[in-house]
Amino acid sequence: EAGVTQSPTHLIKTRGQQATLRCSPISGHTSVYWYQQALGLGLQFLLWYDEGEERNRGNFPPRFSGRQFPNYSSELNVNALELEDSALYLCASSQDRGLATNEKLFFGSGTQLSVL
Amino acid sequence: AQSVTQLGSHVSVSEGALVLLRCNYSSSVPPYLFWYVQYPNQGLQLLLKYTSAATLVKGINGFEAEFKKSETSFHLTKPSAHMSDAAEYFCAVSNTGGFKTIFGAGTRLFVKA
């Protein structure tokens, strides 16, 4: 069974540009979560999508956005990139909507975004 | 509000030595607690989780963690370190709704031969 896949592995952009990150969840999982892993800050919750809709977002500005497609894959878009957006962006999926039973998240390997 | 503090951003042990990674949490309600491991160039994997059953939780690869409410701690241990244990370890806490899982800053474990 394929795990959570993310692309690209690395992405280099300059300030002001836009970045698009992609995530394919495990087959059968309808919930997709995006996290930012900045150096020394741990994982910060960004966005949660389920059944094609944004269900919740973390404390990030509106230039962080995304969407979920009918096949449950997801995109994370970051507009007007700033230097501090440089981080590892992790996608996770779960079969359990909202993880109400606190079942585990399955994480992808991440996209390393570097903003120069 | 919930929070997680991992003591020590880097821990170095010799092969065969005890591994102890510290995690303290704060939560206004009984928490669910997790340890995740991130190997180089890989995503996170769940090591173990505490969900109010037994306070001593056994996970994969010989790791275990003990929930101590009085100390608000959930330290991760392994009796004997292997070289393959070298990775970054994240402690996490949540109550209901996994999207609000709060992760610690991570502890990088180095294992010396």
Side-chain angles (χ1 to χ4, degrees), chain A residues 6-62:
Chain A
Q6 291 187 245
S7 63
T9 305
H10 294 87
L11 189 57
I12 299 174
K13 294 285 186 178
T14 57
R15 286 178 59 189
Q17 285 188 312
Q18 179 199 37
T20 298
L21 288 63
R22 296 178 177 83
C23 172
S24 293
I26 289 173
S27 177
H29 287 190
T30 62
S31 277
V32 171
Y33 307 79
W34 287 95
Y35 290 87
Q36 182 194 65
Q37 185 179 355
L39 195 62
L41 293 180
L43 287 162
Q44 309 289 323
F45 167 69
L46 263 168
L47 289 159
W48 167 37
Y49 290 96
D50 182 76
E51 297 286 356
E53 294 189 21
E54 182 180 303
R55 301 295 182 179
N56 207 300
R57 64 181 294 127
N59 188 26
F60 282 83

Side-chain angles (χ1 to χ4, degrees), chain B residues 13-24:
Chain B
V13 300
S14 297
E15 194 172 19
L18 171 72
V19 175
L20 171 61
L21 304 182
R22 299 177 188 274
C23 172
N24 288 88

Side-chain angles (χ1 to χ4, degrees), chain B residues 1-53:
Chain B
Q2 295 178 308
S3 66
V4 176
T5 301
Q6 290 185 241
L7 301 175
S9 59
H10 296 85
V11 170
S12 182
V13 300
S14 297
E15 194 172 19
L18 171 72
V19 175
L20 171 61
L21 304 182
R22 299 177 188 274
C23 172
N24 288 88
Y25 70 91
S26 68
S27 177
S28 56
V29 298
Y32 293 92
L33 295 160
F34 307 80
W35 275 99
Y36 286 87
V37 60
Q38 186 176 26
Y39 297 105
N41 300 316
Q42 295 185 29
L44 276 77
Q45 301 174 35
L46 180 69
L47 265 180
L48 50 81
K49 65 177 179 179
Y50 165 77
T51 56
S52 75

